[in-house]
Amino acid sequence: MRPQSRLIPIFLVVSLLFPAQPSLSADSRDANEVETLGIVVASHSATLGNGAASDGATLYNGDRLVTEPNGGLSLRSGDAMLYMTGSTQVTLHRTPSHNPAIKKALIRADVSAGSISFSLSPDQYFLVSVHGALIGPAAPMPTLGEITILDRKAFEIRARRGPLKIVRSEEHTSELQSHHD
C-alpha cells in the first residue's frame, strides 16, 4: 500500500473518534438554552405542532398546543403550571420584559380558544395573553387563575388565589382580587 493511501483510513478513524465540534460562544449557548420554555407533564387527545403531544415533550418558542374536545394537557415551565381543557389552543412565546426591574425574558402563553387554569409562583416570569390583554400575578405571592374564551372579543377570568393583574394597554390596567384570599 502506498503511504498516501494509509493516511486516509487513519484520518477517518481520528475524525470519527474526535468529531469536530462547532465552537459555541457564551451568547449562542445562552440563546439555545433560552429557547426551551417548558415540558408537557400530561396529555390526552392533544397535539403539539403537527404531531401528537406526548408526556415529557420539550416545549420551545412558537410551539402551538391544541386539545381535542375530549382532551386535556398540562404543561410546566419552571414553577408555573398551565392546564388546558378540551378544545383549547395555546401558543408559547419567549418575550422580552418591558419592566426595567425584570432582567430576564418572560414566557407568554397566547390563548386563542378554550379554557385554561394556571398556577404561578411569585418569582415566575410567566404571563397569559388573551385577546391582546396580558394577565399575570399582581402581587409577589402564589397565584391561581382560570380563563375561558367566550368568543372572538370576550373572555372570562377568575382569580382563585392571589390577585391577578390585567393589562390591555399602557393606559388600561386593572386588578382582579380572588375571593379566597
Side-chain angles (χ1 to χ4, degrees), residues 98 167-173:
H98 298 293
V167 179
R168 292 216 35 102
S169 66
E170 300 255 343
E171 300 84 36
H172 187 70
T173 299

Side-chain angles (χ1 to χ4, degrees), residues 50-128:
N50 293 328
S54 59
D55 299 357
T58 302
L59 302 170
Y60 298 95
N61 190 35
D63 276 350
R64 184 168 184 255
L65 300 156
V66 178
T67 56
E68 293 180 16
N70 64 340
L73 184 138
S74 294
L75 68 89
R76 180 174 56 95
S77 178
D79 290 333
M81 293 287 295
L82 184 127
Y83 175 71
M84 300 168 53
T85 61
S87 301
T88 300
Q89 297 178 17
V90 172
T91 304
L92 298 174
H93 296 283
R94 182 160 301 277
T95 183
S97 170
H98 298 293
N99 182 341
I102 299 173
K103 301 296 183 207
K104 65 189 266 186
L106 304 170
I107 297 170
R108 187 182 78 233
D110 294 338
V111 184
S112 55
S115 296
I116 63 160
S117 299
F118 55 90
S119 168
L120 306 175
S121 68
D123 60 344
Q124 185 67 39
Y125 300 107
F126 191 96
L127 298 173
V128 177

